[in-house]
Amino acid sequence: MTRETRATGTPPKTGTTGTDRQHMVMDSPYGPLTLVATGGVLSGVYMSEQRHRPAEETFGEPATEPFTDTVRQLDAYFAGELTVFDLPLRLRGTDFQRRVWERLLTIPYGETRTYGELADELGNPNASRAVGLANGKNPISIIVPCHRVIGSTGNLIGYGGGLDRKQRLLAFESGRTDTPEALF
């Protein structure tokens, strides 16, 4: 199932329902990011070597137009100038996965939640493992901030982009560096 939302957690302004796909690759301090749009709406942000990354042939034709605002906002985020994204998103997954991903959008910049806390917030305190599985299949990394979810003891576990990237993203957001590049 597909539901559109905004990175701010509010419904999108677009009514696009098409299924045509386009993609582009942009540089980031965390390696290349592949941006994917479905019907002109952002439906994927994938890191290189990301777990659960779809096959390249599913990304559609190369294009830049549907990604202008996404690139602008990601660049501002990496420059430390943006803490809340405001983009229409097309989240495709099960009802439970979409509920988890929408809950991720409520975690403020520079803060973290545990898998158990998210399960509690979703009304099912015994679902922390299911929350972790849904978190790992998040198709829109960074913008839907799955990197902000940590283990119950505060340890870094389970990030599809790799624990090194998760650690660097959390350090960047907590202000422990001036720029993401300083973490290399």
Side-chain angles (χ1 to χ4, degrees), residues 129-143:
R129 286 183 188 233
V131 166
L133 290 171
N135 198 53
K137 292 192 176 183
N138 171 22
I140 305 179
S141 63
I142 300 172
I143 294 169

Side-chain angles (χ1 to χ4, degrees), residues 18-180:
T19 57
D20 57 303
R21 294 176 66 102
Q22 297 171 303
H23 79 281
M24 74 166 284
V25 178
M26 71 173 281
D27 291 328
S28 87
Y30 304 97
L33 297 176
T34 301
L35 311 178
V36 179
T38 304
V41 178
L42 187 67
S43 60
V45 175
Y46 299 103
M47 298 177 179
S48 59
E49 301 173 25
Q50 180 174 331
R51 191 174 350 141
H52 305 298
R53 179 184 166 105
E56 299 280 330
E57 58 268 13
T58 67
F59 293 156
E61 296 297 317
T64 56
E65 183 184 319
F67 305 107
T68 303
D69 204 28
T70 302
V71 170
R72 182 185 59 75
Q73 289 190 39
L74 281 167
D75 283 344
Y77 168 82
F78 296 133
E81 300 165 355
L82 182 111
T83 60
V84 177
F85 292 94
D86 185 22
L87 296 165
L89 306 174
R90 177 164 286 146
L91 296 170
R92 183 173 174 82
T94 68
D95 288 341
F96 181 78
Q97 287 171 331
R98 287 193 323 272
R99 286 180 51 223
V100 170
W101 302 333
E102 289 171 1
R103 195 73 203 149
L104 295 174
L105 292 169
T106 69
I107 303 172
Y109 179 93
E111 293 185 22
T112 59
R113 298 289 183 276
T114 67
Y115 296 99
E117 288 171 332
L118 284 178
D120 284 343
E121 291 173 12
L122 291 167
N124 189 347
N126 296 320
S128 59
R129 286 183 188 233
V131 166
L133 290 171
N135 198 53
K137 292 192 176 183
N138 171 22
I140 305 179
S141 63
I142 300 172
I143 294 169
V144 177
C146 53
H147 61 277
R148 296 180 188 156
V149 184
I150 59 174
S152 62
T153 61
N155 53 338
L156 301 185
I157 59 173
Y159 186 59
L163 290 181
D164 177 60
R165 284 186 184 133
K166 182 174 190 165
Q167 181 177 22
R168 291 173 33 225
L169 282 162
L170 291 173
F172 170 66
E173 288 188 5
S174 71
R176 288 182 278 177
T177 64
D178 293 330
T179 64

